[in-house]
Amino acid sequence: MFFKKKIVVATHNGAFHPDDVFAVALLSILYKGNIRVVRTRDEKILSKADFVVDIGFEYDPSKNRFDHHQEGGAGKRENGISYSTFGILWKEYGEKVCGSRRIADIIDKKLVEIIDADDCGVDLCKPIVQGIYPFTITDAIYSFNITWKESVSEIDAFFLRAVDFAAKVLSREIKTSQDKIEAEGLVEEVYRNSDDKRIIIFGEKHLPKSLIINYPEPIFTVYKEKEGSRWRVTTIRTFDGSYEPRKNFPESWWGKKKEELAEITGIPDVVFCRNGGIFAGAETKEGAIKLARLAVEV
């Protein structure tokens, strides 16, 4: 029986960062898990590796050497964010693992640049509420490092756990983006066929509602829940990544359910309206559409 030789990927030992973790995760996806990871600073071992990432002071894709710590670094994007090892590997292999340049660019903006900025000391977020920061993907990776109470002998095992986690995240982001791109034409068709462009009725089509943000008129979407028989009316956000809706449901509806909400709206099969007024529900499609129409006009 023929056994394919594993690709040897070398990176530095000691504490790890999202940069080197995601770099190794990318190579694991590229080679379908057929890699062997070596964490070392021994130059003799590094010289024999198939890939050397985040160590070695050399950036030369033709030799599979990907580091950004050398004098002058590994370049910057037009927006000023410097490339880390994950970024330069993504430039080389992102399109291949994604299946298209467009999806690779989407993942670059959504994930790769976040990792690169972190590794290069660039702050991307400022707290709106003093002292409260988002728990990001970089924080999740840092949490895999050993604590002061854990043995240094465990760190390589923790690194591999982090790589496995990162590979799953990266794979899901690629899949999510692929499916979202595939849905664009279908969402456009639903939009185009909507009589009232303020209310987009998806019905039982479970397409990504976020794509409706690309159109200026929509305020609410109506669709059947994927699990269960109820129907939901959801607000449209002002832009992708924002929680601010184009229009809330009336404040008098917030937190109300069934009989109380039915009395306010005059719609007998309503179920609830969430606090904050970002979505509401009904037992039937007709009831959900009536809710949306009422909310548009209020």
Side-chain angles (χ1 to χ4, degrees):
M1 185 179 290
F2 174 75
F3 291 93
K4 188 176 180 180
K5 180 184 175 183
K6 286 186 178 293
I7 302 297
V8 177
V9 178
T11 188
H12 63 82
N13 57 5
F16 49 85
H17 307 90
D19 170 32
D20 40 301
V21 168
F22 269 94
V24 175
L26 171 57
L27 291 173
S28 179
I29 293 171
L30 180 67
Y31 288 101
K32 304 185 186 306
N34 190 49
I35 67 171
R36 180 168 67 88
V37 180
V38 179
R39 302 187 74 232
T40 183
R41 296 180 188 274
D42 187 315
E43 292 185 5
K44 290 184 179 179
I45 297 175
L46 293 174
S47 67
K48 296 177 182 178
D50 296 303
F51 282 85
V52 177
V53 300
D54 210 41
I55 192 172
F57 300 101
E58 185 178 11
Y59 173 31
D60 187 345
S62 68
K63 296 165 57 180
N64 293 335
R65 268 41 185 171
F66 294 90
D67 196 14
H68 68 113
H69 296 102
Q70 60 274 16
E71 185 178 353
K76 287 186 177 183
R77 296 174 173 83
E78 289 183 5
N79 62 13
I81 295 178
S82 296
Y83 285 96
S84 73
T85 293
F86 184 36
I88 55 179
L89 268 169
W90 191 257
K91 277 207 300 184
E92 194 71 19
Y93 300 111
E95 183 173 355
K96 186 172 183 178
V97 299
C98 290
S100 81
R101 181 73 259 160
R102 184 182 175 193
I103 294 172
D105 288 343
I106 289 171
I107 301 298
D108 186 76
K109 286 292 182 187
K110 188 175 183 180
L111 178 63
V112 183
E113 292 193 37
I114 309 303
I115 305 299
D116 284 3
D118 171 81
D119 203 70
C120 296
V122 177
D123 288 325
L124 296 178
C125 297
K126 292 184 179 180
I128 296 174
V129 179
Q130 188 62 36
I132 304 298
Y133 292 85
F135 185 84
T136 67
I137 187 63
T138 58
D139 295 309
I141 297 299
Y142 283 121
S143 71
F144 281 90
N145 272 291
I146 60 173
T147 72
W148 66 275
K149 296 179 71 174
E150 294 168 328
S151 171
V152 173
S153 64
E154 298 180 88
I155 196 166
D156 286 351
F158 276 60
F159 176 82
L160 293 178
R161 291 180 199 173
V163 168
D164 181 62
F165 171 76
K168 288 175 180 175
V169 170
L170 184 54
S171 295
R172 285 303 301 169
E173 285 297 332
I174 293 169
K175 170 65 173 171
T176 298
S177 296
Q178 289 170 336
D179 288 359
K180 192 172 182 179
I181 295 299
E182 187 179 337
E184 285 180 336
L186 298 173
V187 171
E188 182 181 4
E189 183 180 359
V190 172
Y191 166 79
R192 192 171 56 248
N193 293 333
S194 296
D195 294 329
D196 184 349
K197 297 291 191 288
R198 299 173 301 173
I199 301 170
I200 307 300
I201 302 172
F202 282 98
E204 298 187 34
K205 296 178 180 178
H206 300 291
L207 298 168
K209 316 299 183 296
S210 60
L211 290 173
I212 285 295
I213 292 173
N214 297 328
Y215 304 96
E217 306 98 330
I219 300 174
F220 297 109
T221 59
V222 177
Y223 58 94
K224 189 177 183 182
E225 293 179 350
K226 202 166 188 177
E227 296 180 1
S229 60
R230 291 177 174 175
W231 288 74
R232 181 169 291 199
V233 187
T234 304
T235 57
I236 304 295
R237 297 178 180 185
T238 52
F239 59 89
D240 201 10
S242 167
Y243 283 102
E244 182 182 351
R246 294 179 178 178
K247 184 175 185 178
N248 288 104
F249 289 98
E251 193 168 349
S252 61
W253 299 9
W254 297 6
K256 303 296 192 301
K257 54 186 180 180
K258 294 191 174 179
E259 292 84 3
E260 193 175 5
L261 185 57
E263 184 176 347
I264 295 172
T265 63
I267 302 170
D269 70 337
V270 292
V271 179
F272 66 94
C273 179
R274 180 173 169 171
N275 278 324
I278 58 174
F279 67 79
E283 295 287 357
T284 65
K285 178 180 181 179
E286 293 71 24
I289 293 172
K290 286 179 181 178
L291 267 177
R293 287 175 177 166
L294 182 60
V296 162
E297 301 299 340
V298 173

